[in-house]
Amino acid sequence: MRLLLVEDDTMIGEAVLDALRGAHYAVDWVRDGEMADTALGSQTYDLVLLDLGLPKRDGLDVLRRLRARKSTTPVLIATARDAIGDRVAGLDAGADDYVVKPYDIDELQARIRAALRRGAGQAGPAFSHKGVSLNPATREASVNNVPVQLSAREWAVLEPMLSRPGVVFSRAQLEEKLFSWKDEVSSNAVEVYIHGVRKKLGPDFIQTVRGLGYLVPRA
Ligand code: CA
């Protein structure tokens, strides 16, 4: 999953970036509201972690502009412990949830997982489809309840498709899930990881749609 971290405090930003990358998310980090607005206008993210007090354009304004573009991307706002007014304003402007600063990293990760699940219409803790199950909290994968070991990048390619069966993902979209701006992308990376997933889950779980991309079929 690809996340946008919007945070102007360098120390906090570095700590959150480390934690999220450690949890295998592809993360882009921007430090002001203008850059956040630009990133959200040009890339598709699975979730945004949005500080409200930002240089150049404040977080509420970034959020309102995102929702005005009809984006349904889940947004978690970050507010100070005593800033109840900010939380109310943020939720009313279209945020999905809030986290309180200073961050408790475990709670932050759990709220991110919950928001990603809800964004995918899943109520339970795991993404499940046709016997294949991925639990983002435990990083456990299984096929018909038999555990399977997926590499972090095989997981990153499979998770978006498994969370939205029937939706075709282009190679470029899957590359976005795999890598952040600064990482190198080899031209056949997506094919390599899909090949790995097929060896573990069976050849037909992910289908190739010629000229378009890949999908996990609905039925
Ligand atoms: Ca701030």
Side-chain angles (χ1 to χ4, degrees), residues 41-91:
S42 57
Q43 298 263 356
T44 305
Y45 291 95
D46 296 292
L47 181 138
V48 183
L49 179 59
L50 180 65
D51 185 29
L52 292 186
L54 292 169
K56 297 189 182 174
R57 185 185 284 285
D58 92 15
L60 272 183
D61 197 32
V62 172
L63 176 58
R64 289 197 185 101
R65 288 169 59 87
L66 178 72
R67 293 306 185 223
R69 294 192 294 268
K70 307 290 183 213
S71 168
T72 57
T73 302
V75 174
L76 299 190
I77 51 169
T79 73
R81 189 165 299 280
D82 53 357
I84 293 171
D86 286 354
R87 270 173 241 163
V88 171
L91 292 168

Side-chain angles (χ1 to χ4, degrees), residues 74-178:
V75 174
L76 299 190
I77 51 169
T79 73
R81 189 165 299 280
D82 53 357
I84 293 171
D86 286 354
R87 270 173 241 163
V88 171
L91 292 168
D92 283 344
D96 297 86
D97 198 0
Y98 65 88
V99 278
V100 168
K101 285 185 169 185
Y103 293 117
D104 178 290
I105 292 291
D106 289 341
E107 183 190 3
L108 173 63
Q109 305 249 31
R111 285 185 186 270
I112 287 172
R113 289 191 294 267
L116 288 171
R117 287 197 308 266
R118 284 196 300 272
Q122 297 261 353
F127 296 109
S128 299
H129 185 66
K130 292 203 295 186
V132 173
S133 180
L134 296 183
N135 185 327
T138 60
R139 304 293 299 175
E140 286 169 345
S142 61
V143 179
N144 299 321
N145 296 317
V146 178
V148 181
Q149 295 296 325
L150 295 179
S151 74
R153 287 181 165 175
E154 288 169 350
W155 184 295
V157 162
L158 176 61
E159 188 178 40
M161 289 190 277
L162 185 66
S163 67
R164 287 175 175 76
V167 175
V168 177
F169 286 80
S170 69
R171 195 172 78 178
Q173 285 174 312
L174 293 174
E175 280 171 353
E176 284 183 5
K177 310 292 184 190
L178 275 175

